[in-house]
Amino acid sequence: MRAFFAVDLSDDLVDSVADAQAAFGNPAGLTLVDPEQAHVTLKFLGEIGAGDDRGEAADDTAPALADVIAAGERAVESAGVGPFECGVEGFGVFPSLDYISVVWAGVDAGSAELTALHEALEAETTALGVDPADHDFTPHVTLARMDDARGKKLVQEVVRERDPEIGRFEVDEVRLVQSTLTSDGPVYETVTSFGL
């Protein structure tokens, strides 16, 4: 299964996320993500073994699900982070305004706690053989993906000129999420969660 660790935005921020996305209109080449699936990814795992009845991975190169869950438990405990509040505001892009692949909203309050969780998850999962992150961790909520550059100028203008305050939410758990890619976009399903 394709999986990642994340924290979810609260349901009462769905409309605020949709309002922030609406600032971009509907430019060619930009695909908005479902605001009901808004989250902060802490660690993308890629493919992990769904496991057999003993929790062992069928694919020898992918870590077994049972091992990933155990790593998540250890990471959340070692991070030493209790429940906290996050604030989501402002726009940003990856990798740069000259070449946009992802449009996101930033995390202000709560970024230190999210970073501590990310670092603990990174250490535990790379020990299992998961590829380390190839970029610095920037806590964010993905709003859209840019498939081609047709709408780039509009996106650049909105990112430069607008600074929306999307809202605040409480974080009291980390989820291990299965991501299934479909023609209508990814479908997310919680595998398990880890309380803070």
Side-chain angles (χ1 to χ4, degrees):
M1 71 171 72
R2 189 170 181 265
F4 59 90
F5 287 103
V7 299
D8 285 339
L9 273 63
S10 58
D11 290 342
D12 61 354
L13 291 184
V14 170
D15 289 344
S16 296
V17 170
D19 288 346
Q21 292 173 317
F24 295 96
N26 189 25
L30 190 70
T31 303
L32 301 178
V33 303
D34 181 351
E36 292 186 8
Q37 295 186 349
H39 63 273
V40 178
T41 300
L42 296 172
K43 173 63 182 172
F44 180 72
L45 300 169
E47 294 293 329
I48 63 172
D52 59 17
D53 291 339
R54 298 182 309 276
E56 295 175 4
D59 176 357
D60 291 340
T61 63
L65 175 59
D67 292 337
V68 170
I69 291 172
E73 289 171 349
R74 290 191 301 271
V76 169
E77 184 175 332
S78 69
V81 173
F84 62 98
E85 186 177 67
C86 272
V88 182
E89 60 184 62
F91 287 136
V93 298
F94 291 137
S96 72
L97 276 172
D98 291 329
Y99 179 79
I100 301 168
S101 63
V102 174
V103 179
W104 47 264
V107 174
D108 179 17
S111 61
E113 291 88 346
L114 292 171
T115 300
L117 288 165
H118 160 76
E119 289 172 352
L121 287 164
E122 181 80 3
E124 289 288 348
T125 58
T126 53
L128 294 179
V130 174
D131 290 340
D134 59 1
H135 53 273
D136 290 338
F137 178 65
T138 302
H140 68 278
V141 177
T142 298
L143 299 175
R145 290 183 173 80
M146 185 140 247
D147 304 316
D148 61 59
R150 286 176 292 165
K152 182 170 102 171
K153 288 200 181 308
L154 172 61
V155 172
Q156 288 171 326
E157 182 180 310
V158 173
V159 169
R160 284 188 184 112
E161 294 180 2
R162 301 212 185 176
D163 188 24
E165 186 168 321
I166 293 172
R168 300 177 86 78
F169 66 103
E170 292 292 327
V171 177
D172 59 9
E173 68 178 11
V174 171
R175 291 191 314 137
L176 175 61
V177 181
Q178 177 178 353
S179 173
T180 304
L181 300 178
T182 74
S183 57
D184 295 325
V187 175
Y188 300 141
E189 182 179 343
T190 300
V191 176
T192 191
S193 58
F194 312 90
L196 300 181

